Amino acid sequence: MPIEKIKQSVRDIPDFPQKGIIFKDITPILHDKDLFRISLELLAEKVKKVKPDYICGIESRGFIFGAALANILGLGFVPVRKPGKLPYDTYKKEYSLEYGTNSLEIHKDAFHKNAKVVLIDDLLATGGTAKAASWLIEQCGAKVEEIIFLIELSFLKGRSELVGYKTEAIITY
Ligand code: AMP
């Protein structure tokens, strides 16, 4: 069962980046050509159903999956980045994370009005990151058609932050 194999390959790193957090390390998936390909195929199946105009990925692991998916599906890719990284005019949103607070930015001219966007990230924890990214996409006048994660930590109840958005995940813990 490919999903089980992907799940088993995710490595738990206790107390990273701070005490009490069990970090889900996805680098073993990227390292294995079959697991990486299958992960992308499973994500692509979900994205295809939405027929979006763009894939938007959240820095930094959302870039790895999001950019590869955009390429596979023949779509444009829009990065949502950590503060101070995007060179042109940006919208900015502060949010809280499973471990601390942060902010994200998007280029103001990233989308045409009512563009259909699928938001991609590697992992849903408390949901603050995806909620902030969705807000940024909407600030640009685009629509978040679906938010798709490779991994969901369901015990952190991130979906409760994302009420009103269609949310999917390939693997759930
Ligand atoms: P959250 O805003 O709490 O849903 O956090 C999601 C973001 O933080 C994603 O971009 C993840 O890559 C990262 N993240 C949060 N918690 C973890 C975790 N336990 N393991 C790996 N990444 C995490």
Side-chain angles (χ1 to χ4, degrees):
M1 180 68 171
I3 292 182
E4 269 315 302
K5 279 199 171 161
I6 296 167
K7 196 168 180 175
Q8 282 161 15
S9 78
V10 174
R11 182 164 57 180
D12 281 359
I13 312 285
D15 300 323
F16 182 87
Q18 65 188 49
K19 215 171 165 44
I21 300 293
I22 299 175
F23 191 85
K24 296 287 184 194
D25 178 17
I26 52 99
T27 60
I29 298 175
L30 305 177
H31 192 261
D32 182 309
K33 65 177 171 38
D34 294 318
L35 291 180
F36 190 27
R37 177 180 46 78
I38 293 163
S39 302
L40 289 168
E41 283 169 4
L42 291 166
L43 289 163
E45 262 175 46
K46 292 192 184 292
V47 178
K48 266 186 210 163
K49 289 182 190 155
V50 182
K51 297 189 173 68
D53 299 309
Y54 295 95
I55 299 278
C56 183
I58 305 174
E59 188 170 358
S60 56
R61 288 176 298 276
F63 288 0
I64 299 169
F65 293 99
L69 275 171
N71 184 257
I72 289 166
L73 297 170
L75 298 168
F77 177 79
V78 171
V80 167
R81 296 209 65 179
K82 290 168 184 165
K85 301 281 187 186
L86 287 171
Y88 186 60
D89 293 346
T90 57
Y91 293 117
K92 182 175 185 162
K93 181 75 178 167
E94 283 199 7
Y95 66 102
S96 44
L97 199 67
E98 191 188 0
Y99 37 81
T101 63
N102 209 339
S103 52
L104 288 175
E105 293 181 354
I106 196 167
H107 273 153
K108 286 185 174 176
D109 65 348
F111 304 108
H112 61 266
K113 196 164 165 47
N114 293 327
K116 289 167 71 175
V117 179
V118 167
L119 178 62
I120 297 284
D121 204 2
D122 67 324
L123 183 140
L124 171 61
T126 61
T129 306
K131 189 178 181 182
S134 300
W135 184 89
L136 289 168
I137 293 166
E138 288 162 355
Q139 280 300 111
C140 298
K143 287 188 192 161
V144 180
E145 294 289 321
E146 192 158 330
I147 310 174
I148 306 177
F149 302 93
L150 184 64
I151 299 168
E152 175 179 2
L153 303 182
S154 57
F155 53 91
L156 292 173
K157 305 199 184 325
R159 279 176 193 253
S160 64
E161 279 291 308
L162 302 175
V163 172
Y165 295 104
K166 190 160 185 289
T167 304
E168 295 259 16
I170 307 292
I171 303 168
T172 303
Y173 292 92

